Amino acid sequence: MTSTTIAPVAASSAPAGATPPPPPRRRRRWSRSAIFGLVFVLPAALYIVVFQLVPVIYGLVLSFTTYSPLSRSGPEFTGVDNYAELLGDADFGNALLVTGRYVLQVLPITVVLALGLALLVNRPFKGVGLFRSALYVPHIVSLTAVSMVWLWMYSQTGLFNEVLGFFGAPAQSWLLDSDSALNAVSAMRIWKALGSNMVLLLAGLQSIPRDLYEAARVDGAGRWATFRYVTLPGLRPMLVYVVAMDIIYLAQGFAEIYVLTQGGPLASTTTVNYLIYTEAFQYNQMGSASAMAFVLFALIIGFSVLAVRGVMGRQK
Amino acid sequence: MDVHSPRTPRRRHMRRATTLIALGAVAALTLSACAAGDGGSGDDGGDKTLTVWLPGTNQTEIDLVTDTIVPAFEKESGADVEVTFVDWGDISTKLNSAFAAGTAPDVFGHGPAATADFVANDRILDLDDRVAAMSADDRDDLAAALPGGQVDGVQYLMPLSLQGYLVMYDADAFTAAGLDPDAPPATWEELKTAAEALTERDGQTITRSGFLSPSQAIARQQSFATFLFGAGGELVNEEGTEAAFASKEGVDALDFFTGLYSGDTAVSANLGEDYLNAPAAQQPLVQRSAAMTIQAAPMMQQIVDAAPDRDLRVMPALSFEGGDPAAFGGAGPGLMINADSKSPDLAWDFIEYMLSPEVSTEYTQGTGAIPVRASAADSDYAKNSPIITTFLEQSEHLKANPNVVGWVQVRDALDKELERALNGVASSQEALDAAAAEADKILGANG
């Protein structure tokens, strides 16, 4: 019997210049730190998924249905009907205009005033800490509580009319007149937002390197030139954040409307969020309310991106 | 042992998976046990627990119900009753969420206007058989209130009190203006004339309203209903399928309402201001910023308490010339039984207990409301209160909003157009025609 022995090809016997075989694949293993990291992240991730992501997705699904929580039959798919109806809905159109006007008349004033205050309290002077705290207090108090206080101040016998009376001026129907109601709500919102914006911009101011100011001074830059070419560019990231967050919060205005005006008079303060509330919780129309919510969401995203580009674009 | 054996990790994974599934199952069971515990509804024959939601934040009512009435019922029935008070503004939202989640209470309170929507969605029990099983005396005693809790002639809500809006006036202001406080106006036309005499001005600004009728959102619909009923008009047709307010009576009523706030003979200031829900001390009658105001019985009691030295009186229901007196009112908030309650008999026992003569009188006395039982007219509570006596005498003239599906939307559509008319944006006829068109659409869709 003859036998043939086939010698194994040893790696060392490979001809010179040939590509070496790939190293044996190592099985991926979770490192100890990765497992710990996962464990620490898991609760927050679960929270976000269960309480934020799932409701948002469910809301999106509902926007393509007709659904009342009182109904036993559950949501019924209606395609894009809810969105199509919004196109011709005069109430929704009016709410979009009111929301837009609200954002546009609060945002610039609150940002510019907050910037001025931030520049003011960025200087050392006696009582600056107390001044900063006093300005920040409105931000700490809940919007609903603040609105209740302002409701009294705007009433016929409230603070503002008392002051007017002191100077011999007639009392005003601040919240009862369709020409003044949204302005009155805006004034309250500006007062409320001022403190938090000021603190954020103050943090931005304090993060600008001091040597830039020294360099500007050495170069002979005046106050305006220093502000324009050092302060503003250094503050731009924080300004972007403040503008974007203000748009997001203001476009979702609800609590102040609910407390102060209930959307009136003559729907002059009916914001989209207030309309969503009435649609969802007074008329149980969850489908159309969800559609409104997603249109508002898209608009907020769109305008926030535009605002961010507007501010950052100049930097480029 | 080869730790790198390909089989071992799988086994480990399987073990981990099994452990996770077991943990998940334990967690799910624990949560479901908690949920069952929260639900609180036991079988009628087993654990006697009952969950009850009542609307309102009146501390006197909360104390009375939680400290006195419920403990007495628990003692009598051996049941465990868990009562939750929910702010009026939140009650619909919370109930809807609870129904969707399957955690709605066994018994809940709400206004009659909400009943039809609950019925349309099969959420509450038909109480006809249980009402029929009550004694004839009891049914007669509750006769004024029961229809307000019916939808299509079937009883679904058991009113706990009557509600109504009448005119309260300052007798001293009448005297000072040369009017006789013992002969108050009997018609709306007479009231307007008296109001003009009572109105005080500083230039063009009204400093004291001769008469105030609620003109804020929702309440202005109730004011309009008062004037409409007084003019002999109706809100919807008999079948509840079409709006009936865009009539001559409706236009007359709205013209009268808008005339209170506009024109040279305006007698009311601060259109849209919610005086109705202001604290007693801030009420226009107490502040002397109005001489006559439309009020509900509980607030009238509080106003008298806030101004004990003033001579404040209540007018009987008014009509327009040649019409029958009428005012917005009727059955007040009441109790309903969740159709999914596991303890419907116990729930009914609780409702019957709340409506028993002694407890009902105690409850309405505690809240300052109008008693739901006719026999309460003989109680010390009614006899000692001229306000309650007047409301009980006028109860036959109190008319409610219709109990039809979609009424809340109809009401809001009407309310929106009333606001336009009151602000001079539309004429009365235009506003009512627009509201009627919207109302017909809503009623048609729900019909």
Side-chain angles (χ1 to χ4, degrees):
Chain A
M1 189 172 116
T2 57
S3 65
T4 308
T5 305
I6 301 171
V9 179
S12 56
S13 62
T19 309
R25 267 194 185 179
R26 272 194 185 173
R27 223 167 18 83
R28 280 187 187 167
R29 292 185 60 205
W30 285 92
S31 70
R32 202 177 176 79
S33 61
I35 290 171
F36 272 117
L38 189 67
V39 167
F40 280 114
V41 163
L42 201 58
L46 274 177
Y47 174 84
I48 289 168
V49 169
V50 173
F51 292 106
Q52 293 186 355
L53 208 56
V54 170
V56 168
I57 293 167
Y58 185 59
L60 183 62
V61 172
L62 278 185
S63 74
F64 297 102
T65 68
T66 167
Y67 173 58
S68 161
L70 269 185
S71 166
R72 290 181 182 274
S73 57
E76 284 175 29
F77 184 72
T78 56
V80 295
D81 286 2
N82 290 328
Y83 291 94
E85 279 172 19
L86 289 184
L87 289 175
D89 188 334
D91 290 340
F92 185 65
N94 174 67
L96 282 175
L97 288 176
V98 169
T99 307
R101 189 185 143 194
Y102 184 47
V103 174
L104 287 176
Q105 65 187 30
V106 173
L107 183 70
I109 298 175
T110 192
V111 171
V112 170
L113 279 181
L115 179 57
L117 286 169
L119 289 168
L120 184 70
V121 300
N122 195 29
R123 299 165 177 214
F125 61 87
K126 199 173 180 183
V128 66
L130 186 68
F131 191 60
R132 286 176 188 169
S133 305
L135 284 167
Y136 192 70
V137 164
H139 179 65
I140 301 169
V141 185
S142 88
L143 185 54
T144 308
V146 163
S147 302
M148 293 296 289
V149 174
W150 280 69
L151 181 63
W152 168 75
M153 292 203 296
Y154 278 135
S155 71
Q156 287 304 120
T157 54
L159 182 68
F160 294 125
N161 279 335
E162 289 292 321
V163 172
L164 287 180
F166 181 78
F167 291 107
Q172 299 295 311
S173 298
W174 305 99
L175 298 170
L176 305 178
D177 186 333
S178 56
D179 292 332
S180 63
L182 192 63
N183 296 337
V185 176
S186 300
M188 186 278 281
R189 204 65 169 83
I190 288 168
W191 174 82
K192 176 87 170 80
L194 216 49
S196 61
N197 283 353
M198 179 204 71
V199 166
L200 289 168
L201 293 174
L202 179 64
L205 283 175
Q206 294 183 345
S207 68
I208 299 172
R210 308 306 307 169
D211 49 2
L212 290 180
Y213 286 102
E214 283 163 21
R217 197 172 61 242
V218 168
D219 289 346
R223 279 190 176 185
W224 171 245
T226 306
F227 176 75
R228 189 175 170 190
Y229 296 109
V230 178
T231 305
L232 267 186
L235 207 53
R236 201 159 273 148
M238 191 57 85
L239 268 176
V240 166
Y241 175 78
V242 167
V243 168
M245 294 311 289
D246 278 359
I247 289 176
I248 291 168
Y249 283 127
L250 290 169
Q252 297 182 67
F254 173 75
E256 66 273 37
I257 304 293
Y258 183 83
V259 173
L260 291 173
T261 63
Q262 300 265 308
L266 293 168
S268 61
T269 60
T270 300
T271 56
V272 175
N273 240 12
Y274 189 79
L275 191 67
I276 290 170
Y277 164 78
T278 55
E279 192 74 1
F281 299 114
Q282 286 185 12
Y283 308 144
N284 295 323
Q285 303 292 329
M286 292 294 173
S288 54
S290 299
M292 287 181 192
F294 276 92
V295 171
L296 177 66
F297 172 72
L299 289 173
I300 289 174
I301 293 269
F303 282 111
S304 299
V305 168
L306 280 178
V308 168
R309 282 195 179 169
V311 181
M312 292 302 283
R314 299 189 68 179
Q315 196 174 25
K316 286 171 188 171
Chain B
M1 184 172 137
D2 182 5
V3 292
H4 296 290
S5 157
R7 293 174 60 91
T8 311
R10 205 177 298 144
R11 261 191 229 127
R12 275 189 173 178
H13 285 153
M14 284 183 70
R15 256 186 246 143
R16 279 181 197 150
T18 312
T19 310
L20 280 175
I21 289 167
L23 282 171
V26 168
L29 284 170
T30 310
L31 284 173
S32 61
C34 290
D38 288 344
S41 297
D43 279 332
D44 272 352
D47 183 25
K48 295 174 76 172
T49 59
L50 198 67
T51 49
V52 179
W53 287 7
L54 293 174
T57 49
N58 178 340
Q59 195 56 47
T60 311
E61 181 184 358
I62 293 171
D63 292 343
L64 177 66
V65 170
T66 54
D67 298 344
T68 308
I69 295 176
V70 164
F73 174 72
E74 287 178 324
K75 194 174 174 187
E76 187 179 295
S77 65
D80 181 16
V81 182
E82 190 183 306
V83 180
T84 304
F85 276 86
V86 183
D87 185 78
W88 265 109
D90 295 332
I91 188 78
S92 291
T93 312
K94 293 199 171 183
L95 275 172
N96 292 349
S97 304
F99 275 122
T103 57
D106 299 294
V107 178
F108 59 92
H110 213 306
T115 315
D117 282 334
F118 288 124
V119 173
N121 288 289
D122 191 24
R123 289 296 186 182
I124 51 178
L125 285 185
D126 168 354
L127 303 177
D128 262 1
D129 291 343
R130 295 176 195 272
V131 172
M134 294 171 85
S135 72
D137 286 347
D138 268 344
R139 288 202 303 275
D140 286 347
D141 211 15
L142 292 165
L146 289 178
Q150 294 170 358
V151 177
D152 292 335
V154 178
Q155 196 75 41
Y156 288 98
L157 172 138
M158 297 298 286
L160 289 175
S161 62
L162 293 178
Q163 64 175 343
Y165 292 87
L166 295 175
V167 178
M168 191 176 210
Y169 66 101
D170 183 341
D172 295 334
F174 265 57
T175 306
L179 302 168
D180 181 2
D182 296 324
T187 65
W188 288 114
E189 289 90 345
E190 288 176 16
L191 180 134
K192 179 75 190 299
T193 305
E196 287 169 16
L198 290 161
T199 301
E200 292 178 354
R201 288 182 167 81
D202 178 8
Q204 291 297 308
T205 308
I206 292 177
T207 53
R208 185 181 73 180
S209 299
F211 170 62
L212 277 181
S213 182
S215 59
Q216 77 274 24
I218 310 305
R220 64 182 150 245
Q221 183 273 319
Q222 298 174 351
S223 288
F224 171 69
T226 291
F227 303 135
L228 177 70
F229 297 151
E234 295 292 339
L235 286 163
V236 296
N237 64 0
E238 254 182 56
E239 297 76 28
T241 53
E242 282 179 13
F245 48 72
S247 57
K248 182 187 177 302
E249 292 83 4
V251 173
D252 289 346
L254 188 49
D255 280 345
F256 177 80
F257 195 5
T258 54
L260 296 174
Y261 286 93
S262 57
D264 295 336
T265 55
V267 295
S268 309
N270 306 330
L271 175 66
E273 187 170 53
D274 180 7
Y275 73 85
L276 216 53
N277 294 304
Q282 299 296 319
Q283 285 291 322
L285 278 173
V286 178
Q287 296 279 320
R288 298 179 196 269
S289 58
M292 298 186 281
T293 66
I294 286 185
Q295 294 286 354
M299 182 50 80
M300 283 189 187
Q301 299 273 27
Q302 293 178 43
I303 287 173
V304 168
D305 292 342
D309 56 335
R310 305 273 298 283
D311 185 2
L312 301 169
R313 305 182 194 178
V314 186
M315 280 179 209
L318 302 166
S319 69
F320 285 94
E321 298 284 357
D324 295 324
F328 180 79
L335 298 176
M336 297 172 245
I337 299 178
N338 180 355
D340 297 328
S341 170
K342 290 175 183 167
S343 311
D345 293 336
L346 184 60
W348 176 251
D349 289 346
F350 178 75
I351 292 174
E352 268 202 312
Y353 184 78
M354 288 291 289
L355 288 171
S356 60
E358 301 78 20
V359 176
S360 173
T361 304
E362 187 182 14
Y363 174 78
T364 47
Q365 183 171 4
T367 56
I370 313 166
V372 72
R373 284 179 175 270
S375 60
D378 299 327
S379 67
D380 290 342
Y381 167 49
K383 282 180 179 168
N384 296 333
S385 168
I387 293 169
I388 296 301
T389 302
T390 306
F391 271 96
L392 284 171
E393 285 170 0
Q394 298 298 312
S395 60
E396 63 176 310
H397 301 308
L398 300 177
K399 283 187 75 171
N401 280 331
N403 276 354
V404 293
V405 180
W407 170 249
V408 176
Q409 279 173 279
V410 172
R411 179 199 66 190
D412 288 359
L414 174 56
D415 188 74
K416 183 177 151 188
E417 293 300 328
L418 291 175
E419 186 184 26
R420 294 181 69 229
L422 285 166
N423 282 279
V425 177
S427 70
S428 298
Q429 188 71 63
E430 288 167 351
L432 293 177
D433 285 345
E438 185 66 22
D440 287 349
K441 259 196 291 183
I442 297 163
L443 293 171
N446 288 298

